[in-house]
Amino acid sequence: MSDEPHRALEVEGLTVTYRRGQGSLDAVRNVSLRIAEGQAYGLVGESGSGKSTLALAIMQYLPENGLISGGAIRLAGQELATLPGEQMRQVWREQIKLVPQDPGSSLNPSLRIGDQLDEALSDGGETRGGVRERSLEQLRQVHIADPERVAASYPHQLSGGMQQRVLIAMALAGQPSLLILDEPTTNLDVTTEAAILDLVCELVQSHQTAMLYVSHNLAVVAAVCDRIAVLYAGELVEDLTPEQLRSQPLHPYTVGLLDSLPRVGQRAGVDPLLPIAGNMPRLDEVPAGCVFAPRCPIALQLCHELRPDLEATQQGSLVRCHRWREIQAGAVDLRAARPANVTAPDESLSGKIALETKDLVKHFPVRRSLREALRRTPPRSVHAVDDVSLQVGQRRTLGLVGESGSGKTTTARCIVGLVERTGGEVSLFDIALAPGLDGRDAAVLHRLQMVFQNPEEALNPHRTVGDVLQRSLERMRGLGKTEARQQAGRLLEAVRLPPSYLDHTPGQLSGGEKQRVAIARAFASNPDVLILDESVSALDVSVQASILNLLTDLQSEQGSAYLFISHDLAAVSYLADDIAVMYLGQVVEIGPTEQVLQPPFHPYTEALLSAVPRIDAAAGIERILLSGDLPSAVDPPGGCRFHTRCPRLLGEICRTQAPPWQQAAPGHRYRCHIAPNELAAMQSPAFRDHITTVSP
Amino acid sequence: MSRYIARRLLFLLLTLLLTSMIIFVVTQWLPGDVARVILGREASEPALAALRAELGLDQPLPLQYVSWLGRFLTGDWGTSYSTGEPVRALVLERAGNSMMLAGLTLLIAVPLSLLLGVVAGLKADKPLDATISIGSLAVVGLPEFVTGLILIEVFAFRLHLFPANSSIRPGTGFFEALPQLVLPALTATFVLLAYVTRLTRAGVVEEMRQGYVRTATLKGLPRRTVVGRHVLRNALLPTITVLAISFGWLIGGLIVIENVFNYPGLGRLMTFAIDRRDLPLMQAITLITVLAFALANLGADLLYAGLNPRIRLE
Amino acid sequence: MAGNTTGGGSQPASLATHERRALPAVFTRWWHALRELYARPSSALGTTLVLVFLAMALFGPLIAPYSATEQISGAARQAPSVQHLFGTDHLGRDVFSRVVLGARDILALAGLGTLFAVVIGTLIGLFSAYRGGLTDEVTFRFFDSLLALPALLLALLVLGVVGPSRNSVLVVLVIVYVPIVARVVRSVVLSTKQKGYVEAARLQGESTASIVRRDIFPSVTPALTVEAGLRFSYAIFLVASLGFLGVGVQPPNPDWGLMVSQARPYVSLTPWALYFPAAAIALLVIGVNLAADGLKRVMLPGREV
Amino acid sequence: PPPAGSPASEPAAADATGAPAPAQPAASSTLRVAMEAPVQLDPAFASSDSEIAILNAVYDYLVDVDENNRLQPRLASSVVASEDGLSYTVELQPNATFHDGSPVTAADVIYTFNRLRDPEAGLPTADLYSNIVDIAAPEGSDPATGTTVVFTLQAPDPFFQYNLSDNHALIVKAGTEDPTADFNGSGPFKVVNYSPEDRMELVANDAYFIDGKPGVDNLEFIFFADQTAAVDALKGGQVDLNMRMATPLYLSLQGEPGIVTSSIPTNGFDLVRLRADREPGNDPRVIEAFKLATDRQAIFDTVTLGLGAVGNDSPIGPLYADYYSTDAVAPARDVAKARELLAAAGYADGLSLDLYVPESGDRVALAEVLQQQWQEAGINVDIKSVPESVYYGSDNPDQNWLGATLGITGWGSRPYPQFYLDVMLVCDAKWNESHFCDEEFDQLATMAGTTLDEQERMEAYKDIQHILIERGPIIVPYFFAQLGAISDRFENFNMKAFAGRTDLAAITPAQ
Ligand SMILES: Nc1ncnc2c1ncn2[C@@H]1O[C@H](COP(=O)(O)OP(=O)(O)OP(=O)(O)O)[C@@H](O)[C@H]1O
Ligand SMILES: Nc1ncnc2c1ncn2[C@@H]1O[C@H](COP(=O)(O)OP(=O)(O)OP(=O)(O)O)[C@@H](O)[C@H]1O
Ligand SMILES: [Mg+2]
Ligand SMILES: [Mg+2]
């Protein structure tokens, strides 16, 4: 006891049970964790693995139907479960703090930020002014530049990133001995995520607080934490350090998670992702043996029968696997055991342009107020898309990246005709397309399809998968009922789903499966061009990886061209032959993927790139933080639109003159006042090294 | 916010205009010869024709509407067919009385139902919740005319606490009229109680699930602060709108209640007007009611917007 | 079954199984819903009350010892007794029989009124909101104006125009409730319209009618069911109020509101003739409300309003 | 002279407008009367009980009719008929004055009656007074100061004095255009405040020409839309007098402490009438079937709860003692025979009709009982209950009282029976709602209405009753009683058959 570091938190054999209807399920089973003072502990796992449940159990704040049915939770040696209400409140006030997953709903929408902070800080003995002073100090601590303004704001007036900072400030208020962050960045932009991660790291170091950091992204956890626990279906399967994670993870699940994560520069055709097959088991019917066995590429008979124990390795990590020793010894190859039937894209057919936009413009008019109308203030508009010219070659993939609000979705919707463009042209194989859907004939419609972002809304919840596909086939290919039904089966097969799914309703499918069906539906007409708008962003890493692979396969089978939209540069670069980077309605950089990922890049691209969380702690890549939020698209900044946030701002010229297109390499252009060679010199050569290391 | 108000006002005017049209057309469609009603069943045909001409009833409908609206807007609400008195003074006086009754009703009903709703919401799915919701439904399930009857029997005839009858004199002030207002107001309270209680309860339950409640609780705040400072503020917001809607219910309820208690308000005047096919009176009452209802809605919307930063700062 | 999965089987056979499976599926859904309703005391109470009244409506003639209009000679104004459970009214009619037989009337009237209002309101709401544009704007402005009139006032005016009768009450219910239902439907349509699957259907060139029918309408049904339940309970009340005001269903129908209103002058002579039908109204309103609450929980889980 | 115990001073008037009733000093008495709200307060148009009640307190008739239908002097101290029955000389009370202080003169009477009989003005009384040739002051007397008026008739009218007492014949001041502007009557009470649809407040006219009247210092009419509410108010002590109420409400007041109820027989009746000029009523067998299918005694027992009198299908009721024939009795109920008659008339499978009923009084209950009784004989009726304003005012000729095939109409009590025959049953009667047209009947009615031989008239009326019972397309199931109740803090309340004509000025506080 004496030689061990002081424990901030001890979780011993924790089991959490949810009542559900008549039955019940154990969402967390026999989990033990120890977090020392000043230690940052990461908790990863797919969606539904029980991360939030564990976090809330530690907080002693489970939903009404939840119950700690076994084990103990001790905070600084004190058992929490037995604490009376008043003392637990004391603990909440002073010792443990939670930063919740969804910042938007975690702040009271009708109280000012300052008041909500004051509440967390005040202990009753202080004057109001004194408390407010400390609140402002707290805001400054989380790098909020203008704390007075923020304190006087209501939550809805702040961006997601700012809200998250406020919540972190709130959590740090009482100098807690334990800080739990539950997916604090999951719904945020990459750039914002990066900033928050930096902040968390910094705070943990300066405060010496014990921290439990929950995420489904291994790269994020690895970047922040000293130690990582991997949770699968409510069980702890591995507990290791980031170094061990990088060098030698021992559990097949951990390895699977790692291999599902695209790294910047990794290319589909060359170095495919290796996603974990299958789905997590339902928690009310956990398999008898190893929980991971059904999905494990190297599972033995034993694994299906006997539940492995959590064993300690010589290196001090913990692992729950029958075969960890063999893995450690390199006796089994986890990767070879998995089929990676990815075919390299066929470069020969490229050349023809499948989809082209010329100077595409979309302005949404802003409603004028009565007073403005009377004063004849000229009508204003949201410059959602400004002069965007893109080309997608036949059988090729163009990736479109940019922060939230940069106009990616609007571009896509203008192309397919869901939104009528304000100006410019769109053509499909030289056929000019009418702005609206009504003006396009069926043949054209069928050649251009789109898959939407939110898998939950992708399918009509009231129709079976079979109905959905059949209807598309009847409609777009003019097939009869029986034939359509057979074809529907084939389509399902194409997206690697069993034919039995024809009778499933969307409610019975996981998010990834829904997205597969949506893709199958889009492929019903064999489209020439398929637009994918953030189609994988909402999915777990492993699911995302398998869909990315599916898309590559389908492209090589069907020969469609893709416009692939994402805010995640890693995912885009994995799939795309060419990349276009959008900022505030404009394309700021465009070119072949390899080129765009190598210096010189547009400063904005550089920032995006540096923000991507990396497992391998980025040898020498310095993070480029963008200051402030995306400016309003109603009155976009004059000159270079990026000048308000640009880390490489030259000066007056950027503010007043629109930058010219600079040619970095053949086919690779960017919009900046800085010439290619100068720009390259400013930028970290580590990028180039880093990228070349992954792409052979 | 000012933009919001301007837009709401514009919609209000539009709605009122349309409603006035509906009212006018519908009242014109009512069967029954106005002249006959005025002159009685013994009147002769020439006298009837003369009266019709005098009232302008022989003109085309749109013309009648425009001139009616024009006169209405300039404050000339016409002369009651049945009393021969100018409509405006009469309607405004009765509107004042109805306001007193509605006011007292709201004074009783709002705090009571909010209290019940909040308690039920906090104790959701516990026996107390079920008791409140079934109890409040039971009183709303009983029609006003039955509750009125029971209240009169108990409070007037058995306990002699309040008068059985509320025919107050013209010009009676609120406090003077108070004893006579109590029973009708209680009856009207029952009309609103369940509705407001249930919606308040729903608001509280809904808000208790929100993330910010967890945030507040985990700050270590005592429960009463969490509820009082965080939950109610948001939970009661929708109740404001609900109150405006229930104001419409109240108006409907008053038609029956004022008759049962013989209270000289708009509701009783309305039955009088309908019985006697007194179009100017009917039109004026309906329009004034709609205006009150619309203003209540507007007020609620503005209050809602004023209290809800998400709209206020838009 | 097994043969069916391998090789697809013959088409008719597979269609047939499809049908066969669909039918019980509906039943199990209802069975499931009913079980959920009974999972909570308050909605169980409500559902029971509604079922009791429903049974009364269906089997009323079997339960009621007398007809609704029979004036038993020499038996006027009798207090409740074994012969006349709820006593007799001023004309010697058996109040118990009238209450029991009146259930059919009120349920049919309120039910049909609600049904028509829901169907019409749904159609208008669906198409108007999906199409959008000026007609939508105008339609709903008009509805707003109708809604600006308190329901009872509107009902009185309309009944004044069309004259009192059972059909008039139906017309009134429709006029009063169509705008409300249409608004509810519209709000769902407006949010559903943005959903990916609707846009996908549009991208595949589906017709408006087909999108509305297949994609939008199903999402409207839960909210619609709940709204219909709510409307139903208000309809009962409105029908009763109109009966009371004498502008609704005509005598000698055993309409509960009318019974209360007719018994009112006789309250000191035959109080039972007033309180029993009044209690019936109250119980039915309570029942429908509680059941509708329960239905809301089943149909729109997680939503409280 | 002012009534005893009531000082003729201002405070009483001021008091009446201000403080609520209970706060009144004991010295001043207020009678609060519950009434339906009046529509018309111009005497020439007024017709309902409440209208007449108010006007009867504010104005005076020349002659009045007492509880027993006997003529009483009022503003006229004497009425003398000439031998030939063609002229009537009216002598006015010498000290009668209008509320504005001016004396009541011959000119006012002439003005009033000329207005009432002017065919141009289209007043309902024009017909009633069409027999008058001239109204004038006697030769040599100035109508503006004189108090004698002579009415000259075209033909003798045995009921002329009753006509002078017609409900509308309240004397207004000569030259009055709009009597509702200031209610300048000569009656026992002066209007202090009128709040339409709500109440009317009056004070005693201290200068009233009849000694000892009015008996109370203040009179207040409080208007009720709902009869039950009015009765509750009486029970609760918020009003003192309530007349003309539904039978069950009256019964509920009996035995109530502090309340004195009174019920008097009247000749008012609810008339069930079938149009005789169209199917199915144009077949006498159908009319007979209706009569045979009806059980009047049962209706009397359940609908009027035994108050009033059983009817015999003729408007000449037992109240008109000498005119009423005790041997003219409607046939006993015979359902089988009714069926037979219907079958013979071609309605073997039954007969379906709408029954229009104004929803007031006991009429809806009457309709329900009739429906049940008739149904047994194969006559199926649908009850259409409508507001009175629709029943009397609807422009749909098939639904209003003069046009509907089958309906129930209420007829108020009149002091003499001829009125009913003239306006509702003779061929060209103005309100011949049953469209009855019978030569023999018409001859008898004309004769009864003009003969000066009382015996002849009695015979004619008896024959008329037989005719109506036999073939009149009408059923008079009952004559209702007039029902009233007053707080025992007052006495001298003598209700009249037409409640509005009750002399409120005679009521005094109880000793
Ligand atoms: N209140 C609850 N009642 C019943 N089951 C629940 C409840 N909350 C969560 N669960 C179930 O418990 C399991 C673990 O849920 P939990 O939210 O802890 O997962 P998670 O790892 O945080 O997932 P995510 O990444 O999606 O946030 C899931 O299967 C979930 O469906
Ligand atoms: N219908 C609309 N009306 C008005 N403004 C709109 C509309 N649709 C989008 N915008 C605005 O256009 C801009 C670009 O939005 P868009 O959705 O295209 O961005 P995005 O890059 O897809 O963002 P995200 O990553 O959040 O999906 C934003 O400022 C947005 O607010
Ligand atoms: Mg979670
Ligand atoms: Mg987007």
Side-chain angles (χ1 to χ4, degrees), chain B residues 149-172:
Chain B
L149 223 58
I150 297 174
L151 289 180
I152 290 178
E153 183 64 35
V154 173
F155 289 99
F157 297 155
R158 297 263 159 88
L159 302 176
H160 301 289
L161 279 179
F162 300 104
N165 183 270
S166 308
S167 24
I168 55 165
R169 269 154 206 277
T172 310

Side-chain angles (χ1 to χ4, degrees), chain A residues 405 408-410 453 533-534 565:
Chain A
K408 309 180 294 294
T409 298
T410 308
Q453 167 166 12
D533 183 11
E534 308 264 17
I565 297 174

Side-chain angles (χ1 to χ4, degrees), chain C:
Chain C
M1 281 305 263
N4 197 18
T5 43
T6 57
S10 70
Q11 276 316 310
S14 90
L15 272 180
T17 44
H18 205 69
E19 303 282 73
R20 236 185 295 132
R21 239 181 313 166
L23 199 69
V26 170
F27 282 122
T28 40
R29 269 240 308 272
W30 280 102
W31 178 239
H32 178 75
L34 205 62
R35 268 186 35 190
E36 296 233 337
L37 283 176
Y38 270 91
R40 235 165 232 279
S42 65
S43 56
L45 174 67
T47 313
T48 309
L49 281 172
V50 171
L51 290 178
V52 166
F53 281 109
L54 217 58
M56 267 193 206
L58 288 176
F59 309 113
L62 300 179
I63 305 169
Y66 300 90
S67 93
T69 53
E70 184 184 349
Q71 296 162 10
I72 306 152
S73 63
R77 303 184 298 284
Q78 297 208 343
S81 66
V82 183
Q83 253 122 43
H84 303 289
L85 280 179
F86 294 176
T88 61
D89 70 1
H90 59 292
L91 298 180
R93 294 174 294 201
D94 181 52
V95 177
F96 175 71
S97 303
R98 282 174 71 73
V99 168
V100 167
L101 294 167
R104 180 179 297 187
D105 252 46
I106 198 153
L107 286 180
L109 200 53
L112 273 186
T114 309
L115 183 73
F116 289 154
V118 164
V119 169
I120 298 173
T122 305
L123 286 178
I124 295 178
L126 276 177
F127 282 94
S128 180
Y130 181 72
R131 283 280 178 74
L134 193 65
T135 22
D136 179 53
E137 187 81 2
V138 170
T139 309
F140 279 89
R141 279 278 137 241
F142 176 70
F143 282 174
D144 279 353
S145 313
L146 275 183
L147 288 176
L149 281 162
L152 190 60
L153 207 58
L154 184 60
L156 283 181
L157 287 176
V158 174
L159 276 177
V161 172
V162 294
S165 75
R166 191 187 299 251
N167 290 345
S168 312
V169 175
L170 273 185
V171 170
V172 163
L173 288 179
V174 169
I175 292 182
V176 173
Y177 289 155
V178 159
I180 302 178
V181 173
R183 281 238 291 218
V184 170
V185 170
R186 182 176 131 101
S187 68
V188 181
V189 173
L190 288 184
S191 68
T192 310
K193 209 167 125 174
Q194 316 283 347
K195 294 258 163 87
Y197 59 87
V198 175
E199 302 206 316
R202 290 178 60 199
L203 283 186
Q204 303 198 336
E206 294 272 358
S207 68
T208 302
S210 146
I211 292 179
V212 168
R213 185 170 59 85
R214 303 184 53 155
D215 293 317
I216 301 210
F217 178 67
S219 327
V220 174
T221 40
L224 204 57
T225 315
V226 169
E227 188 59 29
L230 217 61
R231 284 302 122 218
F232 185 50
S233 84
Y234 292 148
I236 292 166
F237 210 76
L238 193 58
V239 170
S241 290
L242 294 176
F244 172 77
L245 291 172
V247 292
V249 176
Q250 292 291 292
N253 275 304
D255 176 84
W256 295 342
L258 189 63
M259 286 166 75
V260 171
S261 136
Q262 287 193 316
R264 206 158 85 89
Y266 294 86
V267 64
S268 59
L269 301 179
T270 57
W272 47 87
L274 184 138
Y275 290 116
F276 282 110
I281 296 174
L283 286 179
L284 182 56
V285 170
I286 295 173
V288 171
N289 266 298
L290 292 179
D293 274 3
L295 206 60
K296 202 183 299 178
R297 284 214 180 82
V298 179
M299 301 298 268
L300 304 173
R303 199 126 33 103
E304 203 55 47
V305 181

Side-chain angles (χ1 to χ4, degrees), chain A residues 47-48 50-53 101 182-183 214:
Chain A
S47 181
K51 307 180 296 293
S52 297
T53 303
Q101 173 162 359
D182 188 1
E183 312 227 21
V214 176

Side-chain angles (χ1 to χ4, degrees), chain D residues 5-226:
Chain D
S6 159
S9 59
E10 281 307 302
D15 214 355
T17 49
Q24 299 255 330
S28 136
S29 54
T30 300
L31 176 68
R32 294 160 302 168
V33 185
M35 279 282 171
E36 196 184 50
V39 174
Q40 270 298 335
L41 287 175
D42 179 341
F45 289 99
S47 61
S48 73
D49 269 303
S50 62
E51 288 158 5
I52 300 299
I54 291 170
L55 294 171
N56 191 25
V58 177
Y59 298 91
D60 283 307
Y61 292 99
L62 287 178
V63 288
D64 218 337
V65 178
D66 72 6
E67 307 83 89
N68 304 313
N69 280 339
R70 283 182 312 242
L71 290 164
Q72 297 285 329
R74 180 121 170 223
L75 201 51
S77 54
S78 73
V79 180
V80 180
S82 64
E83 281 294 301
D84 57 3
L86 285 179
S87 87
Y88 286 80
T89 305
V90 176
E91 195 62 45
L92 299 178
Q93 294 276 5
N95 53 352
T97 57
F98 285 107
H99 296 162
D100 67 359
S102 56
V104 181
T105 64
D108 302 317
V109 176
I110 297 169
Y111 174 81
T112 301
F113 279 92
N114 279 338
R115 182 168 175 247
L116 290 174
R117 74 194 184 106
D118 178 8
E120 296 289 292
L123 294 180
T125 40
D127 276 352
L128 184 69
Y129 295 128
S130 60
N131 191 24
I132 300 177
V133 183
D134 186 39
I135 312 170
E139 202 78 21
S141 130
D142 178 4
T145 53
T147 52
T148 312
V149 189
V150 179
F151 288 80
T152 313
L153 304 189
Q154 195 162 36
D157 179 354
F159 301 111
F160 182 68
Q161 289 211 44
Y162 284 112
N163 288 352
L164 282 185
S165 185
D166 180 83
N167 280 346
H168 303 100
L170 291 146
I171 305 304
V172 299
K173 192 172 157 68
T176 308
E177 289 281 327
D178 176 9
T180 59
D182 48 7
F183 297 105
N184 186 19
S186 59
F189 293 96
K190 298 194 232 179
V191 177
V192 177
N193 174 39
Y194 175 39
S195 161
E197 193 268 329
D198 182 35
R199 68 184 62 225
M200 183 182 252
E201 291 162 285
L202 307 96
V203 288
N205 175 11
D206 299 330
Y208 195 54
F209 56 86
I210 301 176
D211 271 356
K213 283 188 185 179
V216 292
D217 305 326
N218 304 293
L219 176 65
E220 187 172 4
F221 292 102
I222 302 175
F223 308 140
F224 284 81
D226 186 281

